[in-house]
Every structure is written in structure tokens, then in C-alpha cells.
Amino acid sequence: MKRVVIGALGSEASALLRVLAQSEGTHRAGTEGPPASFRLPEGTIATWVQIPDSIRSSEQVVAGVSAVDLILLSLTTEGSVNRQIPAVLEVLSLLGVQQGVIALTSEGRLRREQVLELEEVVQRALQGTPVAAAPIVPVTKGRDRGNGALRRALLSAASRVSGRDIGLPARLFIDSVAQRSENEANVSGILSAGTLRAGDVVVVMPTNTTARVRRVQAYGHDVGEALAGDWVSVCLAADEKLHVEPGAQLAAPCTVEATTAFDAVIRVHRDPPLSTQDQRSVHLWIGGVRRVGTLSLSGRQRQLNAGEQGYARFCSDIPFACARGDRYILWDDAAARAHGGGTVLDPAPSQEGAWPDVSILNARETGTGPDRLEDLLLRQPTGVPRREALVRAQLSATEAEAARTVLQERGRLQVLPPDHWIHSAHVETLRVRVCVALERYHGRFPQRPGMPADALRAVVRQDLPLPVFRRLLDLWRKQGHLALDGTVVRLASFQPVLNARQSALMERIAAFYAQCGIETPTVEQVSRAVKAPPDAVLALLTAGVERGMFVRVADGVFFDRSTLEGLKDLVHRTICERGAITVGELRDMTGSSRRYALQALEFFDAIGFTRREGDRRVLGTPPH
């Protein structure tokens, strides 16, 4: 289902969209307050953000359109266009917004000849802007505001844009902040990409502060998950001091750079020419923040005239946040309008030595191997097999291995055995969501040893392939985050809390195992002896293993720890005295059968306590 964000420009645009949301809304809209989402035909979900119609509010214009896909411009039947609106549309165009609809509002229904006359006036006034050829929809105030013609026109424009991508890592351009305490803040804005849940870990940029999402609201209501394109309010908490300013960004880890420079494509939109010999500071807007710095052109370029394009490096003394592919505006402060703009190629270039060769910049503009591979992986929240990555990123086997090496060195790629590639940002998001789900499960069921893996996958991400999920669980187990017991998963730090009845049952189970000695009973035998269901017995045996009361030697086979330690002492003394021990000797010493003596010695072999030499066992070297 496509999700789009509409930039509402003009005095009546928000009101028109609010009426659509009241009649077609997935989130009901009032007469004021935050925007709402609503359905366009064919299932497209739309929301909107108000764009100031004065370029004097340039910081609000740039911050507000960071996630805009198309424009709804409202004009009155006077046919006049605010002189500031073309300048605002110029900014929108430089930021990549190229589709829109014009709503022509009137008090009464217009005649056909009036509409044609007004269309000519409007198109002449908006020539050269993104909406110069946009459809013009007459709308009668108070009666037909929510008419089908406007919805169909918006759908047509929406069909020509890519929309918001919920598969990308989360990113939010912050347009308002309420500081709650030194370590907490509420932030709001349009979620540009990805999804957000309570419990997620995000990075506040450019301060590079790690924070946890405590609460998420979409359109003023608490939600389990906010999706790209939603207007959200997010409560953040950090372990360290958390200072957030409007224009900052929330991003998933490993996705956005905090930098003081970038290399980029640049296009000069209007005079005067841009010259590297001019040592004046330049003003630049990126991601809703304004920075002052220096701009240098690459290679032999010394000047770019209006309409010309080249490569440039921007440097500032104050950090800002950006990623490859972000758009920026070069601002002319004297004229109070955009001078040019472009797209970031390298968000953190080395500033030592000479400029990169132009061929390198050309390659980065079209996408190098690492760029293409990372672009693919960012859009695949469950990762892809290596073979599929090669085909979709259009890489040869050699290019793919080189790209993999680069991304792994940057900490951007995780390879799961045997050969499944997934971006580190998605791995971290999934890990955090798994841990949050387990925290909640342990809190709700403190007596249970853990959460079934299938149920955990359904909560975290149902479409995550089971083999990939299992490999991720094993990765997080090795990293010390989780513990696995068959198909049951728990946090590594969690220990089940037994109630009085469970504690009493545990004591009966332990007493029965001690009584059995080397002749380990089956779970069913224990169940009959202690008069408890097999699943309850197995759960407590698993808990007992974590507590050090029992040792698992095979599936469904447990030793009482004191019995096992006694057997180890016996085997150790015998080997020291005789040089070795056989299955028959251990059988006779314990008064058991060959089956149980062999089971014990094979376990000792497995842990390195003994080593088999023919029919005899000698002392082994325990693994480090």
C-alpha cells in the first residue's frame, strides 16, 4: 500500500485536506490540531504537512518539506498568485518535489469559460515551477470541498511519485521539540522512512546521542507502530544528557552521518555565477538545518553559471546530519531565495589531500558497487541471499565481494551463514525489538523459562524468513544478548521466578534425580514419579539447568549436578590409579547397566574431561 505526504501550500490547502480526512480518514481529523491520514482511491494512504507560503519562513519551508512527495496548492478565483509562492515552489523543486495539484477555490460554482480564463492566468504565473502543468481542480467552498475530482487528481499525482518507504530504516526530520527534562524530550514531525515502535533505539543527530523511544503517537493517538508518512509525536529518553533542537533528526543506527562536510552534485539555479575564487561564506539548508560554510568546486572547475552543473564540497565548522542521496539548498541571503542545490554523494569525505578524481565522483553519482549494494540492503529489512544481491545490485562476483568488504569495514553489513546479507541497521532494529518483546514477555510470565521462537518472530516481524530468524537468534546468543533452549528464547540476564508450588515441585524433581543416581530417568518417568505434567517437568528442568541444579547431557536427558560431580570424581580417581577406565569398570563400580555407564562416559568425552582410546578412557584436555 503506497503512502504519500502532501505539502499543503496556500491559505485553503490544509482546510481542503482536512475535509477529505474527515470523510475518508483512517485517523479522524478535527477542525484544528495535527494532520490526519486519509485514503485516496486504490488504497493509497495520504497525509499532509503545512508549508508556509512566504520564503521569509525559509527554515520552516525547508524543514517542512523533507518528507513531502507532492504539492496541493490552493488559489482563489481572483487568479492572483502570492509573489512568494513561486520562490517557495522553487525550493520544493530543488528538493525533488515535482508533482502537484492546484485547487481553485471559489464561493460559488464557476462557469467553464471562467475556469479556462483562470487556468491561463495561473499557468502563466507559475511557469517554470513544479506545478506549472499540474491539473487545476475547481472547488466550491462549503459544499464540494471533498469532491471526487480533487481526490482523483491527488491520486493521479500520487501515482507518479515513489512515496514513503516503510522498508527503509527509520528516519524522522524533527520540526518541533518539547524538552521534558535533562534526559527526556518529546519530538514531532513526519516520519520520512521506516517504522517506529516504543522500545526502539534511535540516534539523535547531529549530536550522535543514543536514545530509546518510550512512546509513539500518530495523529495524536498512541500506536503500537508508526509507519513512514505518519505525522508522529515521539517521547525520547536517554541515559546521558539529551538536547534536541528543531531541525535535528532521529535515525536508525548505522544510517546517517554526523559530519562537517560533504561532496555533492551541485546545480546553479540562477545568477550570479558560483565561483571558487569568491571567498565569501555560503548559506546552505540540509535536512531542516541551516549551516554557514565554504563551498569549493572540483577539478578544473572555477565557476558555474546559471543552469550549469558540477561537483562541490561544502565545509562547515558546526556539525550537521546527512546521508548519501540527501538533497540540499544553496541559499542566497541577499535575495532571500534559493541560488541552487543538489544531492549529497559522500556525507563524510576525507578532507586531507586533493579532491577525488572526477571519474570517482561520476561513479558515486551513478552509484559505486558499495553504494548500489547498500542502497539495495537498506530497502530489504529482512536481507537477501548473496546471489540475489548480485543480480539486483547489478554486480559481478568480484565487484560484490569488494563491495561486501567495504560495507563490513564501515560496520554497515552483517553476513549470516551460509551467505545471507543484511544491513547492520536492520539487524540492530530487529535485535532491539526482540529484546523489548522478551522483556515484556518475561514481565508478564516470570515463571516461564522463555518465549517460544515462533511467537517471538510473529511479534517482531512475521515476514522474517524462519531460517534467517534462527541465524539472527544464534548471532545474538553468541553476542551475549539472548539464551536459547531448543525453541524457547529468553534474555541472557533473565531467570524464571518460581512460585511456591513450582519451588516445591522443583524440590521433588531434584530429590527423584538424586535417588536415581547414574540411571537418569526420562521426563515421562519423572512426570509419573512427581505426579506433574511432562511439560511442567521439562520447564522446571530447564530452569534448573540455568540455576546449576541439573546438567543437560542430551535432549530430554538430565543429570543431577551432585550425582554428575560424584561420577567425575570416581572416574578421575580410577584413571589416576589405573591409567584408564572402561565402560564395564564404571558399570560395576556404580552397580548400574552398560547403557548408563556409556552415557556418562560419552558426556565426559564431549566436554573434554575424558578421551577415548579404543575401549578405554583416559583423562582429556578440557576445551578452552
Side-chain angles (χ1 to χ4, degrees), residues 367-374 376 386-404 407 421:
T368 63
D371 291 336
R372 298 203 302 276
L373 180 58
E374 184 167 22
L376 168 67
R386 174 184 177 276
R387 183 177 298 178
E388 182 180 339
L390 267 65
V391 174
R392 296 178 63 178
Q394 298 181 339
L395 299 171
S396 68
T398 302
E399 290 171 332
E401 286 307 304
R404 177 190 61 79
L407 293 184
W421 293 3

Side-chain angles (χ1 to χ4, degrees), residues 200-265:
D200 281 357
V201 171
V202 293
V203 182
V204 181
M205 291 299 218
T207 58
N208 213 15
T209 305
T210 299
R212 186 175 288 273
V213 176
R214 297 186 63 178
R215 181 184 182 190
V216 181
Q217 290 189 327
Y219 311 102
H221 303 284
D222 288 334
V223 293
E225 182 176 59
L227 306 178
D230 285 342
W231 186 93
V232 299
S233 176
V234 182
C235 178
L236 298 174
D239 293 333
E240 55 187 304
K241 186 175 181 180
L242 179 63
H243 179 66
V244 188
E245 294 183 351
Q249 298 180 31
L250 292 189
C254 308
T255 55
V256 176
E257 301 281 354
T259 184
T260 56
F262 63 72
D263 289 345
V265 175

Side-chain angles (χ1 to χ4, degrees), residues 124-446:
R124 188 165 54 247
L126 298 176
Q127 189 174 3
T129 71
V131 293
I136 299 176
V137 181
V139 179
T140 305
K141 290 184 179 181
R143 187 170 58 185
D144 294 329
R145 280 184 172 173
N147 63 47
L150 182 57
R151 282 195 293 271
R152 288 191 295 273
L154 289 170
L155 175 65
S156 177
S159 69
R160 295 188 293 275
V161 301
S162 58
R164 303 293 98 196
D165 192 338
I166 64 173
L168 286 168
R171 195 173 185 190
L172 170 67
F173 296 91
I174 299 169
D175 62 17
S176 66
V177 179
Q179 199 76 35
R180 300 182 63 185
S181 69
E182 190 176 74
N183 304 93
E184 293 187 14
N186 284 344
V187 302
S188 62
I190 295 287
L191 186 59
S192 175
T195 63
L196 269 182
R197 297 182 184 180
D200 281 357
V201 171
V202 293
V203 182
V204 181
M205 291 299 218
T207 58
N208 213 15
T209 305
T210 299
R212 186 175 288 273
V213 176
R214 297 186 63 178
R215 181 184 182 190
V216 181
Q217 290 189 327
Y219 311 102
H221 303 284
D222 288 334
V223 293
E225 182 176 59
L227 306 178
D230 285 342
W231 186 93
V232 299
S233 176
V234 182
C235 178
L236 298 174
D239 293 333
E240 55 187 304
K241 186 175 181 180
L242 179 63
H243 179 66
V244 188
E245 294 183 351
Q249 298 180 31
L250 292 189
C254 308
T255 55
V256 176
E257 301 281 354
T259 184
T260 56
F262 63 72
D263 289 345
V265 175
I266 186 167
R267 182 178 180 82
V268 177
H269 196 63
R270 62 178 62 256
D271 287 330
L274 181 66
S275 172
T276 56
Q277 297 174 348
D278 187 349
Q279 297 300 311
R280 293 181 305 171
S281 296
V282 297
H283 296 254
L284 183 140
W285 286 101
I286 183 164
V289 297
R290 177 172 175 150
R291 290 292 181 261
V292 179
T294 59
L295 198 71
S296 57
L297 299 177
S298 71
R300 298 179 180 178
Q301 291 176 310
R302 293 291 178 266
Q303 179 173 297
L304 289 177
N305 298 314
E308 292 182 340
Q309 180 173 300
Y311 298 114
R313 173 172 292 171
F314 174 76
C315 297
S316 173
D317 293 330
I318 304 175
F320 54 92
C322 70
R324 180 178 178 274
D326 283 358
R327 291 178 178 267
Y328 66 93
I329 299 294
L330 184 62
W331 192 251
D332 186 337
D333 236 19
R337 66 186 308 170
H339 186 196
T343 305
V344 174
L345 297 179
D346 187 346
S350 171
Q351 298 183 53
E352 299 178 1
W355 258 89
D357 188 82
V358 172
S359 63
I360 296 176
L361 294 171
N362 286 337
R364 294 226 66 179
E365 185 175 359
T366 56
T368 63
D371 291 336
R372 298 203 302 276
L373 180 58
E374 184 167 22
D375 288 346
L376 168 67
L377 295 177
L378 283 170
R379 286 172 167 76
Q380 302 297 318
T382 62
V384 291
R386 174 184 177 276
R387 183 177 298 178
E388 182 180 339
L390 267 65
V391 174
R392 296 178 63 178
Q394 298 181 339
L395 299 171
S396 68
T398 302
E399 290 171 332
E401 286 307 304
R404 177 190 61 79
T405 300
V406 169
L407 293 184
Q408 284 186 307
E409 289 174 350
R410 294 177 184 170
R412 299 294 182 95
L413 171 62
Q414 181 71 52
V415 177
L416 301 176
D419 226 354
H420 192 85
W421 293 3
I422 183 169
H423 198 281
S424 300
H426 294 309
V427 173
E428 181 61 11
T429 296
L430 290 168
R431 184 193 68 78
V432 169
R433 291 182 177 179
V434 162
C435 290
V436 168
L438 289 174
E439 284 175 5
R440 292 172 179 167
Y441 188 88
H442 294 332
R444 186 178 178 189
F445 304 108

